Amino acid sequence: MEKDTSSNAATLGFAPDTFKTMVADHWADVGRIQEKSRKKRVYVALMLAFLVVAYILKRDIQGDPLRMGLPHFGPDAMLWILPLAIIMAMGLMVAMPFMNGRSPHTKYSPDEIDLRFDDVRGIDVVLEEVTRSLQIFLAYKSFKDELGGNPRRGILFEGSPGTGKTHLAKAMSAEAGVPFFFVSAPAFQSMWFGMTAFKIRSYFKALKKAARKEGGAIGFIAEIDAVGASRGGVSSSQMTAHSEPGSIVHKMVSQDAGGMVNELLIQLQSFDSPALGQRMGNKLIDFANLFMPRDKHIKKKEAAYSNVLIIGATNMAGALDPALLRPGRFDRILHFDLPSRSGRRELIDYFLGHRQHDPEMDRENLREELASMTLGYSPAMLEHILDEALVWAIRDGRKKLTWRDIQRARLSEEIGLGQPVAYTEHERDLIATHEAGHAVAAYLCAKERKLEVLSIIKRRNALGLLAHSDMEERFTKTKSELEGRLKVALGGMAAEQLFFGESGTGPSSDLTTATQMAAQMVGSYGMGKSLISYEAFSSDVRSSANLVAKVLSNDDARKEVEELLQLHKDQVAYVLDNNRDLIEALRDALFEREELLGDEILNVLKEAESKRPDSLHLQPKTAIVLD
């Protein structure tokens, strides 16, 4: 059986022909067992068919052919049917806890999964490691018997939600051609004491049974931290309001919670237990050996290797019990990070290739811009944004998404849907001037920022907004870049005071952002008068709120933060005062259209600049540092 995986060859570092050959070679062990199981099923089906046909022929020869119809129980049937029904009902009630202990998994055959490695994008490093693990999984006999190695039994996928953990696990199963057993770890938990461990045993039993028939099986346990949390702290999270420490309920819940981890550890270590028929045969051999001298003992058959690969997924790997992560259980931990810019671009190309879109979305610059402005997006978030863009297109009576649909989808998902609010004339003027002040400050004082959206449409608690991002994907900031961000944050307040003589309540969130940024510059980044880091004052979890409290509680640091904020407010006010025409142009455009996107903002600004007298064109558009 040969898979078409040549398109991923470059990503995985193999030549196409070499990669295909490796997959075909590694398929031998699993494929041999699958073919053996197929022939066995055919033989059994033929044997059953032969027995049925022989029975029908026997009845026909005897002159008593089979007749269709309901059975006849006789006149006294109720005398035995009713007691039998009562006994069956009582047996069902007794068996209910055991029925509850069935494995809660969902089994998928490879044909039911329409994912392949070609559909996995943006995680090339993880995909390469997974491919190598899958090659060993497929060639487990060669790896074990010929090379003397122990095939990998467990892989832990760790990463933020939506980064492709389940997606890749399904693709692995489809590529390997083996059954996929999906289960959510919380589904193991049961109201019956001890049934959680029973469900875990049932799950692994089903995996091993499938592996014997199909040559291998892949089990995927989502949110594995629900049953694999560290035994040192798991019981506290399981306590109820009525389980006081030392009570019977407390002890039972503690034992059950710890039992989940213990059972999981045992099952991950005992894959090669013999099947029922082999166990019965070994018991007979044990009985026969009781009557035979030691040198004549019959040798029992060893348990066959169960080719099972367990994949656990979690976004809290630090909460797992350390015993789960030792070699022999989860041998490899793979971290699923958020995609880089190139990874996002690859995902965008893939998602747009499966969705109807306007020809404008085939432009390289738009796709690059979308990849740039989606920093921090997971693959699931990217796909969702494009789905929402299609919804916006359908609302407008179109069947193809456009760039504007994507922008509207981003705004509605990140900030909220636009709310039709009737502003007063003064409010409308104030909000438009405020947002125009932000945009002009970003245009003149933060050259590394790209203007994306300028709006005066109310969304959640925001009466208006300016969305801007880095020109290039960056992971660090310089002092001058942070100072430019401060000016952008304070630009709205400066514009209000410049045009109205006073500011309103609108700059509240801007001042919060600016204060946090200034406190980090002074107390964490060493960009103030002192190199002391206020992060070193405590071993608590780092947070901006905690840092701001530390910095502002110190009189000298507080004074420095205040001076920094006042300095950059004065600077941006000076710049805006010398560029009133730009603010007025954006304000008037917002009056007319309410929302401007990307190039529309720049076009308004450039048009306003083109109308200036020639003498003003020579003036540099930069902030003048005040003493």
Side-chain angles (χ1 to χ4, degrees):
M1 300 173 67
E2 183 172 300
K3 299 287 183 180
D4 184 11
T5 52
S6 59
S7 61
N8 273 322
T11 300
L12 299 173
F14 304 123
D17 294 339
T18 303
F19 183 69
K20 280 189 173 183
T21 303
M22 291 174 70
V23 172
D25 290 343
H26 292 155
W27 197 270
D29 295 337
V30 172
R32 191 181 302 111
I33 295 177
Q34 289 183 346
E35 180 63 17
K36 182 179 178 181
S37 298
R38 185 192 68 81
K39 290 180 178 179
K40 183 178 179 181
R41 287 191 292 269
V42 171
Y43 295 151
V44 171
L46 290 175
M47 182 61 68
L48 290 175
F50 173 77
L51 292 176
V52 171
V53 171
Y55 178 71
I56 294 174
L57 289 175
K58 174 180 176 294
R59 293 284 297 268
D60 187 61
I61 293 172
Q62 293 175 345
D64 184 20
L66 295 177
R67 295 180 178 84
M68 304 300 292
L70 295 176
H72 180 68
F73 296 107
D76 299 330
M78 291 301 297
L79 295 177
W80 60 270
I81 290 179
L82 183 59
L84 181 61
I86 295 174
I87 294 173
M88 291 178 62
M90 293 176 63
L92 184 63
M93 293 177 62
V94 173
M96 278 184 64
F98 297 96
M99 293 174 63
N100 185 262
R102 291 179 299 179
S103 175
H105 70 267
T106 301
K107 179 183 176 181
Y108 297 92
S109 67
D111 297 334
E112 294 179 278
I113 303 173
D114 58 353
L115 298 174
R116 295 296 185 272
F117 282 163
D118 288 339
D119 301 306
V120 179
R121 306 298 175 96
I123 49 173
D124 295 345
V125 176
V126 174
L127 183 59
E128 181 176 352
E129 179 61 28
V130 161
T131 302
R132 298 186 188 281
S133 297
L134 200 60
Q135 290 168 354
I136 296 174
F137 174 78
L138 293 172
Y140 72 97
K141 276 185 172 294
S142 302
F143 187 82
K144 188 173 187 297
D145 299 337
E146 297 177 15
L147 303 181
N150 292 315
R152 187 171 292 165
R153 280 294 182 64
I155 304 176
L156 183 68
F157 288 175
E158 189 267 332
S160 303
T163 47
K165 298 185 290 293
T166 306
H167 190 78
L168 180 55
K170 286 185 176 181
M172 289 175 64
S173 179
E175 289 282 0
V178 297
F180 181 73
F181 289 74
F182 175 88
V183 67
S184 176
F188 283 126
Q189 298 175 351
S190 171
M191 62 179 288
W192 304 96
F193 181 74
M195 280 297 111
T196 298
F198 191 85
K199 284 185 176 184
I200 294 174
R201 287 195 296 272
S202 298
Y203 176 68
F204 280 86
K205 182 179 179 181
L207 273 172
K208 290 182 281 190
K209 182 178 179 181
R212 286 193 293 269
K213 290 183 177 180
E214 303 292 338
I218 293 179
F220 182 79
I221 306 177
E223 309 300 337
I224 194 172
D225 49 275
V227 293
S230 177
R231 284 166 290 184
V234 68
S235 58
S236 61
S237 64
Q238 302 287 334
M239 295 299 103
T240 63
H242 303 288
S243 57
E244 296 295 333
S247 66
I248 296 177
V249 175
H250 183 280
K251 292 178 180 178
M252 290 179 65
V253 173
S254 298
Q255 292 172 2
D256 197 37
M260 292 189 300
V261 183
N262 293 335
E263 187 62 42
L264 189 60
L265 293 172
I266 293 169
Q267 293 301 322
L268 286 171
Q269 197 65 32
S270 57
F271 285 103
D272 303 332
S273 56
L276 177 62
Q278 187 176 346
R279 291 200 303 270
M280 294 178 63
N282 287 341
K283 286 184 180 296
L284 291 175
I285 293 175
D286 286 335
F287 180 76
N289 286 339
L290 292 175
F291 303 96
M292 301 177 67
R294 179 172 295 275
D295 56 340
K296 302 293 184 180
H297 276 190
I298 303 172
K299 186 177 180 180
K300 293 188 291 187
K301 187 177 180 181
E302 295 182 358
Y305 179 84
S306 297
N307 190 29
V308 173
L309 179 64
I310 299 294
I311 302 173
T314 180
N315 53 12
M316 296 191 301
L320 293 177
D321 194 279
L324 282 173
L325 307 180
R326 75 157 179 80
R329 289 181 177 134
F330 287 109
D331 300 294
R332 175 72 69 186
I333 301 177
L334 298 180
H335 180 71
F336 285 65
D337 205 351
L338 294 174
S340 62
R341 179 170 178 166
S342 61
R344 294 195 300 275
R345 173 57 198 274
E346 190 179 355
L347 287 163
I348 289 167
D349 290 342
Y350 176 78
F351 292 145
L352 284 176
H354 290 76
R355 287 164 176 78
Q356 294 295 324
H357 58 273
D358 192 88
E360 70 167 344
M361 289 308 304
D362 292 327
R363 288 162 45 190
E364 287 292 317
N365 64 321
L366 285 185
R367 294 198 177 193
E368 285 293 333
E369 187 172 351
L370 180 57
S372 175
M373 67 175 56
T374 50
L375 175 64
Y377 275 48
S378 67
M381 292 170 63
L382 270 175
E383 186 175 20
H384 178 66
I385 287 296
L386 295 178
D387 287 339
E388 285 299 309
L390 276 175
V391 173
W392 280 103
I394 292 172
R395 288 177 181 175
D396 292 344
R398 293 177 282 107
K399 293 185 177 181
K400 295 181 179 181
L401 64 88
T402 63
W403 177 247
R404 191 172 188 86
D405 294 328
I406 293 175
Q407 294 288 56
R408 289 194 293 182
R410 283 187 62 229
L411 284 176
S412 62
E413 288 301 306
E414 294 182 7
I415 304 172
L417 291 171
Q419 302 173 20
V421 176
Y423 295 128
T424 65
E425 287 300 321
H426 176 70
E427 276 185 327
R428 187 179 178 85
D429 192 3
L430 184 69
I431 295 169
T433 302
H434 179 102
E435 299 305 333
H438 281 309
V440 174
Y443 180 63
L444 299 177
C445 305
K447 297 292 187 178
E448 78 285 354
R449 307 299 292 174
K450 177 169 56 180
L451 303 179
E452 296 177 357
V453 182
L454 184 64
S455 173
I456 58 171
I457 298 175
K458 185 180 185 303
R459 287 181 171 84
R460 294 180 187 169
N461 296 326
L463 300 178
L465 64 94
L466 169 70
H468 53 99
S469 63
D470 290 320
M471 289 286 189
E472 298 178 342
E473 185 164 328
R474 301 280 302 279
F475 298 97
T476 60
K477 303 291 181 187
T478 64
K479 182 180 180 181
S480 59
E481 289 171 348
L482 290 176
E483 289 175 341
R485 297 281 295 275
L486 279 178
K487 291 182 176 68
V488 175
L490 298 169
M493 183 179 190
E496 287 187 26
Q497 294 176 348
L498 185 63
F499 280 82
F500 299 97
E502 62 179 359
S503 61
T505 58
S508 171
S509 60
D510 298 332
L511 290 177
T512 300
T513 301
T515 302
Q516 290 176 345
M517 196 182 311
Q520 288 176 328
M521 292 174 67
V522 171
S524 181
Y525 302 150
M527 297 178 181
K529 297 177 182 179
S530 173
L531 295 179
I532 294 176
S533 173
Y534 284 80
E535 295 287 359
F537 281 41
S538 173
S539 60
D540 295 338
V541 178
R542 295 182 62 175
S543 68
S544 58
N546 191 30
L547 174 66
V548 172
K550 295 174 186 176
V551 173
L552 298 185
S553 63
N554 181 282
D555 292 340
D556 292 336
R558 180 190 180 93
K559 182 180 179 181
E560 190 174 353
V561 169
E562 189 169 356
E563 289 176 351
L564 187 63
L565 293 173
Q566 190 62 51
L567 172 65
H568 289 287
K569 179 180 174 296
D570 293 341
Q571 289 181 2
V572 75
Y574 183 88
V575 172
L576 296 181
D577 191 25
N578 284 276
N579 292 275
R580 283 172 171 262
D581 56 330
L582 301 185
I583 297 177
E584 291 169 351
L586 282 178
R587 179 198 63 192
D588 295 341
L590 287 173
F591 284 162
E592 180 182 351
R593 287 178 273 179
E594 292 190 329
E595 197 165 82
L596 302 173
L597 303 178
D599 292 339
E600 295 176 349
I601 305 173
L602 294 178
N603 291 339
V604 171
L605 291 170
K606 290 177 180 178
E607 183 180 355
E609 287 180 323
S610 67
K611 295 179 181 179
R612 289 175 169 176
D614 293 339
S615 60
L616 293 180
H617 280 294
L618 301 176
Q619 295 182 2
K621 301 182 296 181
T622 56
I624 299 176
V625 179
L626 304 178
D627 293 333

